[in-house]
Amino acid sequence: MSTAELNSWLRAPDVKRFPYGAVVREYHSAGKHFVAPELLELLANVRDLLPELGGPWSHVQTLVSFLGTALDKPDKRYDYPSYLALPLLQLPGADDPVEQAPFARTRCDRLTAQLVADALAFELSAADGRTTLLPQARPDGVVVRKRFRHGLRVILPALARMSLDAGLTATEPGDLARQACAAVRGDMSYAERRAVQLSILPVHTLHDEYLFLRSLQAFETTFSLLATQIRGAVAALGEGEIERAVHFMSSSEVALRESSPLFSMLATMQVESFRTFRNFTEGASAIQSRNYKLVESLCRRPDGDRVESAAYRSVPDVRARVLGDQPTLDEAYRRMCESDVVAEDARKPLAEAMNSFARAMLRWRRTHYRLAVRMLGDVPGTGYTEGTPYLRAVRDIPVFHAVEVDEKVDNETTGAP
């Protein structure tokens, strides 16, 4: 990339005219880990200028978030959230008013559909020879068709809820994926398209990293939804609205189950490609997932050794919530049972919903562990973690204490590679 575009922008800076396209193309052509120092220096100059710029706040906020992702490595603050560009995706958060919980499902349906459809669109473009993006180690046609099938399993339920499935008439996975991608893109706003465009900055130029990034972003979207809905369930119990709490937990179980084909998509990654690009993701690990820890800690207060472990010390704001006596569903359910205000028959649907959700969580953890073993073996994890031994140790941590969870958890297969 010639730096002329950025130098020109710096002479007359306007947040609405920032040359995102040129910058993203350079990151894609080299890989974030290998971007030229000259470009990084110019981007740092842009960031230094931001406090002096005017313009619509939404444009300033987008540029701040983009530069935070683009400059994480030279800043030496590269981690899991910055690798996934989560600030650009604007997921529901723990500080959002709990009254917004009923709307989180629609919000996350849209983002999940957009992220996974974008991954499928990339596979279509590569298969059609319409892109030179991430050209190394393209998968063969058999693998790509599997990706279409698994990706469609993730997004078709969401597209039905969004009323975007009427034109999905194809029976062949590739054709159906093409129709689904067109339906999703046609429904996106300019801001949504921009967020999706800017939130993919792979560290390398291997084809499979695109799928990896989008799948992890989709998982983060799911867990942000779960955290929001569990907060909603806790609030509902505090107001004596058991049916609303049951709705939130049932919806959470469905969301977690619908996300499970993402594991099957990830299982199609070429192991050699995965192990190559992950060499350049040191410092970023799923152990740093704030949304996952929020879900775990909102279900019940983690045990003391867990709170003091690297898992929670890697997400200090969540740890602070736990130490600050964050309300949990486990405690709210126990208080309801001890109060004797609600009859046992009335409590039963909530206990069943919590049981179903717990089983889905245990299944998710065990599938995650099996996939990690398959892709990594005994190789240490990134983010300075021990990798699969850590996942093996935490896969059976109880989700709740106040309800008896059926330990017979069905195995979730990850599909053939």
Side-chain angles (χ1 to χ4, degrees):
M1 168 189 173
S2 167
T3 57
E5 287 181 76
L6 268 180
N7 278 314
S8 176
W9 184 88
L10 283 165
R11 286 193 291 271
D14 180 345
V15 291
K16 293 185 288 186
R17 298 179 183 277
F18 185 78
Y20 287 111
V23 175
V24 169
R25 281 194 297 274
E26 175 59 20
Y27 270 71
H28 285 176
S29 65
K32 183 196 283 190
H33 191 80
F34 305 97
V35 171
E38 295 81 6
L39 175 56
L40 297 175
E41 183 177 355
L42 281 176
L43 291 175
N45 292 340
V46 171
R47 184 173 57 188
D48 291 342
L49 189 64
L50 284 178
E52 304 171 16
L53 291 182
W57 168 243
S58 61
H59 290 270
V60 175
Q61 186 180 38
T62 296
L63 186 51
V64 169
S65 297
F66 175 71
L67 292 174
T69 297
L71 294 171
D72 55 358
K73 277 183 172 277
D75 286 347
K76 300 189 185 306
R77 52 173 181 74
Y78 174 74
D79 60 10
Y80 189 69
S82 71
Y83 176 51
L84 299 186
L86 295 184
L88 282 161
L89 299 180
Q90 297 186 352
L91 301 173
D95 294 321
D96 292 348
V98 73
E99 291 79 13
Q100 294 181 7
F103 310 104
R105 184 60 189 259
T106 300
R107 183 176 171 185
C108 291
D109 272 350
R110 290 188 66 81
L111 184 53
T112 298
Q114 291 163 10
L115 294 170
V116 178
D118 183 69
L120 298 183
F122 173 61
E123 298 294 343
L124 286 166
S125 295
D128 294 344
R130 292 184 286 110
T131 184
T132 57
L133 174 61
L134 307 189
Q136 295 189 49
R138 298 277 195 224
D140 62 30
V142 173
V143 169
V144 172
R145 283 191 292 275
K146 288 181 179 180
R147 293 180 180 181
F148 291 151
R149 288 199 300 271
H150 298 315
L152 288 165
R153 288 171 57 205
V154 175
I155 64 173
L156 286 178
L159 295 185
R161 288 189 291 270
M162 296 164 64
S163 299
L164 293 180
D165 59 338
L168 306 184
T169 58
T171 56
E172 197 278 324
D175 294 337
L176 185 56
R178 206 176 297 273
Q179 291 178 342
C181 291
V184 171
R185 184 161 182 81
D187 187 59
M188 293 171 70
S189 68
Y190 172 81
E192 289 171 330
R193 292 185 185 190
R194 172 56 56 85
V196 170
Q197 173 201 10
L198 300 183
S199 62
I200 188 87
L201 295 181
V203 296
H204 203 277
T205 57
L206 284 155
H207 178 101
D208 282 1
E209 192 179 356
Y210 202 105
L211 175 73
F212 183 68
L213 278 165
R214 289 304 192 211
S215 297
L216 296 190
Q217 289 168 337
F219 271 135
E220 285 295 311
T221 302
T222 296
F223 277 98
S224 73
L225 170 62
L226 302 186
T228 301
Q229 294 194 142
I230 295 169
R231 286 179 64 225
V234 173
L237 285 186
E239 297 169 5
E241 298 185 14
I242 296 178
E243 289 186 6
R244 186 152 61 98
V246 171
H247 165 75
F248 280 132
M249 294 313 298
S250 298
S251 178
S252 295
E253 187 272 332
V254 170
L256 194 56
R257 177 161 39 84
E258 287 180 354
S259 74
S260 63
L262 290 168
F263 282 124
S264 298
M265 284 186 72
L266 288 170
T268 68
M269 286 193 302
Q270 300 162 93
V271 173
E272 184 177 352
S273 291
F274 174 70
R275 293 184 178 181
T276 298
F277 71 70
R278 75 182 296 277
N279 287 328
F280 305 101
T281 63
E282 188 62 63
S285 168
I287 199 174
Q288 299 160 343
S289 173
R290 182 174 182 271
N291 289 309
Y292 178 86
K293 297 301 191 314
L294 278 170
V295 170
E296 180 183 283
S297 63
L298 284 164
C299 286
R300 71 169 178 89
R301 182 183 173 89
D303 296 335
D305 57 348
R306 177 92 169 132
V307 175
E308 297 303 323
S309 71
Y312 274 83
R313 291 192 176 277
S314 68
V315 285
D317 61 323
V318 179
R319 182 171 179 270
R321 290 174 184 273
V322 173
L323 295 176
D325 293 326
Q326 171 182 252
T328 71
L329 185 58
D330 204 56
E331 293 164 353
Y333 179 81
R334 180 182 291 110
R335 284 196 301 270
M336 181 184 68
C337 294
E338 292 173 349
S339 69
D340 291 330
V341 173
V342 181
E344 184 175 351
D345 287 348
R347 299 196 302 260
K348 186 176 180 182
L350 179 57
E352 291 175 347
M354 291 171 65
N355 187 305
S356 295
F357 177 78
R359 294 180 72 241
M361 274 292 291
L362 292 171
R363 185 183 304 117
W364 189 95
R365 291 180 194 160
R366 294 169 188 179
T367 305
H368 184 201
Y369 168 70
R370 289 197 300 273
L371 179 61
V373 169
R374 177 176 180 166
M375 301 303 294
L376 288 175
D378 294 326
V379 177
T382 54
Y384 317 111
T385 62
E386 57 183 324
T388 53
Y390 164 78
L391 296 177
R392 181 173 62 247
V394 302
R395 60 184 171 173
D396 295 322
I397 291 176
V399 179
F400 300 112
H401 283 326
V403 296
E404 184 176 347
V405 177
D406 184 355
E407 290 296 330
K408 295 174 64 178
V409 178
D410 298 331
N411 289 328
E412 177 69 37
T413 60
T414 56

